[in-house]
Amino acid sequence: MLLDKNVYPALAGKKCLTKKEVKTMESFDDILNEKQPVLVDFHATWCGPCKVMGPVVEEIAGEVQGSARVLKVDIDKNEELAEKYQIRSVPTFMIFSNGESVWRGSGVMDKAVILEQLKRYMV
């Protein structure tokens, strides 16, 4: 899910981006190479801990809107991305700054921990 609704208002209410939607709108790499840091939540619809973290990720997106981007990537619909970033468990959170992975965490995490890491790269 691309939670930045100002950039993609047509996606408001969608649960996640499909591979086709990512390619149609802009490539995943283009998103990661933007000036703003990007938090990516790699998740799966069948994953209990992912369901727990969903509302937390949405809260984070609301708090950092305009300063960072937040993406949710369903690993079952985006297997190439999951393989590229070696996602072995879900949820896995990654922060990218200037196209580079700068932080990674997995499992149920405290919102403050994720926010603290993301704010390190926000201007």
Side-chain angles (χ1 to χ4, degrees):
M1 171 169 27
L2 193 57
L3 295 172
D4 187 345
K5 294 177 180 93
N6 291 329
V7 177
Y8 300 111
L11 293 179
K14 281 202 169 192
K15 291 296 179 194
C16 65
L17 291 174
T18 65
K19 186 177 1 176
K20 182 180 177 183
E21 288 170 327
V22 169
K23 287 181 180 178
T24 302
M25 294 184 311
E26 57 187 323
S27 79
F28 189 74
D29 289 334
D30 289 342
I31 294 170
L32 298 184
N33 284 312
E34 291 182 355
K35 291 181 182 178
Q36 292 181 328
V38 181
L39 169 65
V40 181
D41 171 10
F42 290 95
H43 70 101
T45 58
W46 46 262
C47 167
C50 299
K51 292 176 185 176
V52 169
M53 291 303 296
V56 174
V57 173
E58 289 190 28
E59 287 178 22
I60 291 170
E63 291 182 31
V64 301
Q65 188 171 6
S67 300
R69 294 191 59 185
V70 177
L71 302 175
K72 289 181 71 71
V73 176
D74 184 324
I75 63 164
D76 294 324
K77 294 180 181 177
N78 297 280
E79 292 177 10
E80 294 91 5
L81 287 177
E83 185 175 321
K84 178 179 179 177
Y85 293 103
Q86 300 177 349
I87 305 304
R88 303 290 181 246
S89 64
V90 287
T92 292
F93 305 96
M94 294 182 73
I95 296 174
F96 293 85
S97 181
N98 298 313
E100 298 294 321
S101 172
V102 294
W103 180 83
R104 181 181 186 123
S106 295
V108 174
M109 302 182 73
D110 188 71
K111 174 181 151 183
V113 171
I114 299 170
L115 262 176
E116 177 184 334
Q117 295 299 321
L118 186 57
K119 287 181 178 180
R120 289 178 170 194
Y121 302 97
M122 292 169 40
V123 178

